Amino acid sequence: MKLQRKNRLRALSLGAVAVSGALALTACGSDDTGKKASDGSSSSTSASSIKCDNAKGQLLADGSSAQKNAIDAWVKEFSQACGVQINYKGGGSGAGVTAFNQGQIAFAGSDSALKPEEVAASKKVCSGGQGIDLPMVGGPIALGYNVPGVDNLVLDAPTLAKIFNSKIKNWNDPAIKKLNPGAKLPDLKIQAFHRSDESGTTDNFTKYLIATTPANWKYSGGKAWQAQGGQAAPQSAGVAQQVKQTAGAIGYFELSYVTDGIKAVSIDTGASKPVAPSTESATADIAAAKVIGTGKDLSLQLDYKTKAEGAYPITLVTYEIVCDKGNKADTLPATKAFLRYIASEDGQKVLSGIDYAPVPDDIIAKVRTTIEGLS
């Protein structure tokens, strides 16, 4: 499996030019950086290509754990070139937005765009401006599972909703058998794990359930988990760790967390074949995203109900949240320089080797223009 993934990622990287403009954004992350995030071989950035300008000092940031692996890879390159220390906690999207609106950090990462009330709150710390969403990372939300003897598992939206709503409780349930006629499903209790912290990953996963199977998922959605039952763990790394060590477990997290001991569910979308999560299949879905933000805000609308061949429907986009105006003078140069780098061609190339995908050309071009206008 690991060799196949390496070959697939290598092929995707070589095909990046052809795919340019098609997708982009993935969200994966880990508090546990992992060898992929720290392996400099996945990056082709040269120090001379990074424009440090007047960047100096230290930046504090927090938010999406989905993008933590990407941030860590970017920070390694940027810090080596510019000498700026960036401390990104990856405490979850909710924590990031809260810290940003309290003026505690220079920028936040969130897998959900700012809500109107959050934009209103940001005006208190963005003097003369407001917080805006800049899409920077994207990709699939994988349903990782640990079911001994089952290597290829297919589920659909209604079945997933019932599993995470404690309506389906055993792996040999008839609904799961129907989707997996050739599998030897064990008589084993399902251990469903969700996020304990407020998370944009939760928000996007439940948006998928709300959009595709509202009869089975009668919740309003949002960053906080609302369904009853199941077990909770903090951040994507915490959920992945619980799945890895618990027989019968299933949880949701970004593709970069699908490591040894965890397999990923393929989704029956209604297309001719079930779709597995991958950079390529997420690209097929995210490429159809529409910019719905106003002004300098570049928030996107995703298609969770896609039935397109090869398109994986459970995707997310991670945004960097920053003030369009009114950024703190002592952190603005470093903030702009870092965002400029990660939105650059070299910065986006880093993503391909660590289970992320670069942002589509037309969208990232708008991001770059917006960054230059930050003040």
Side-chain angles (χ1 to χ4, degrees):
M1 290 294 292
K2 185 178 292 183
L3 180 58
Q4 290 177 347
R5 171 179 290 177
K6 288 182 178 178
N7 290 337
R8 172 174 59 79
L9 290 175
R10 186 178 298 113
L12 288 172
S13 179
L14 292 173
V17 174
V19 177
S20 174
L23 154 74
L25 317 147
T26 271
C28 291
S30 162
D31 307 309
D32 172 357
T33 324
K35 62 184 179 182
K36 288 189 294 184
S38 60
D39 184 357
S41 65
S42 66
S43 170
S44 60
T45 304
S46 64
S48 60
S49 70
I50 299 176
K51 299 179 181 179
C52 302
D53 290 343
N54 297 315
K56 60 182 179 180
Q58 181 182 33
L59 286 182
L60 299 179
D62 194 4
S64 166
S65 64
Q67 69 166 357
K68 181 88 168 43
N69 288 339
I71 289 287
D72 287 348
W74 281 328
V75 166
K76 179 181 178 181
E77 299 290 341
F78 182 77
S79 295
Q80 286 179 348
C82 301
V84 175
Q85 180 181 354
I86 300 177
N87 182 1
Y88 182 83
K89 291 177 62 177
S93 298
V97 172
T98 297
F100 179 78
N101 281 343
Q102 292 177 347
Q104 299 174 358
I105 55 179
F107 69 91
S110 178
D111 307 320
S112 298
L114 290 169
K115 296 179 180 179
E117 61 270 24
E118 293 170 336
V119 173
S122 73
K123 294 180 180 179
K124 298 178 181 179
V125 296
C126 300
S127 180
Q130 65 180 48
I132 56 173
D133 302 287
L134 301 178
M136 207 72 75
V137 183
I141 299 174
L143 277 302
Y145 70 96
N146 176 0
V147 182
V150 180
D151 294 329
N152 298 291
L153 182 67
V154 176
L155 297 173
D156 59 11
T159 307
L160 280 169
K162 292 173 184 177
I163 286 173
F164 281 91
N165 204 22
S166 302
K167 302 298 184 183
I168 292 179
K169 301 181 179 181
N170 227 55
W171 280 111
N172 62 353
D173 186 275
I176 302 178
K177 284 185 175 181
K178 184 176 180 180
L179 291 164
N180 299 271
K184 295 182 179 180
L185 296 165
D187 182 7
L188 179 65
K189 181 181 178 181
I190 295 174
Q191 307 279 356
F193 286 89
H194 57 265
R195 290 281 289 271
S196 60
D197 54 320
E198 290 198 355
S199 163
T201 310
T202 294
D203 190 16
N204 283 274
F205 175 49
T206 55
K207 280 180 178 175
Y208 162 75
L209 297 177
I210 292 168
T212 55
T213 183
N216 295 299
W217 197 261
K218 299 180 180 180
Y219 301 98
S220 60
K223 294 186 182 74
W225 184 258
Q226 296 173 324
Q228 301 300 309
Q231 302 179 62
Q235 303 163 3
S236 292
V239 175
Q241 181 61 32
Q242 290 299 319
V243 171
K244 183 175 182 178
Q245 67 187 24
T246 306
I250 185 171
Y252 57 90
F253 33 78
E254 295 69 39
L255 184 60
S256 67
Y257 294 102
V258 178
T259 57
D260 293 341
I262 301 176
K263 297 180 176 66
V265 172
S266 293
I267 303 298
D268 183 346
T269 65
S272 63
K273 297 180 180 179
V275 185
S278 68
T279 301
E280 186 177 36
S281 63
T283 296
D285 182 51
I286 299 176
K290 298 178 181 178
V291 176
I292 58 173
T294 59
K296 294 183 179 180
D297 187 89
L298 297 174
S299 56
L300 303 176
Q301 183 178 65
L302 301 173
D303 182 9
Y304 299 104
K305 300 172 70 174
T306 183
K307 294 183 180 180
E309 296 296 328
Y312 185 79
I314 317 175
T315 57
L316 60 73
V317 171
T318 301
Y319 303 94
E320 311 312 328
I321 295 171
V322 67
C323 296
D324 59 354
K325 298 178 182 178
N327 290 278
K328 294 180 180 179
D330 58 339
T331 59
L332 177 60
T335 299
K336 286 184 69 171
F338 182 64
L339 294 179
R340 180 186 296 120
Y341 160 58
I342 68 178
S344 71
E345 183 177 351
D346 282 337
Q348 290 289 296
K349 282 181 179 178
V350 171
L351 300 175
S352 299
I354 51 176
D355 282 338
Y356 295 92
V359 177
D361 283 353
D362 58 337
I363 297 174
I364 201 65
K366 295 177 181 177
V367 171
R368 293 167 183 158
T369 298
T370 301
I371 290 170
E372 295 308 317
L374 299 179
S375 62

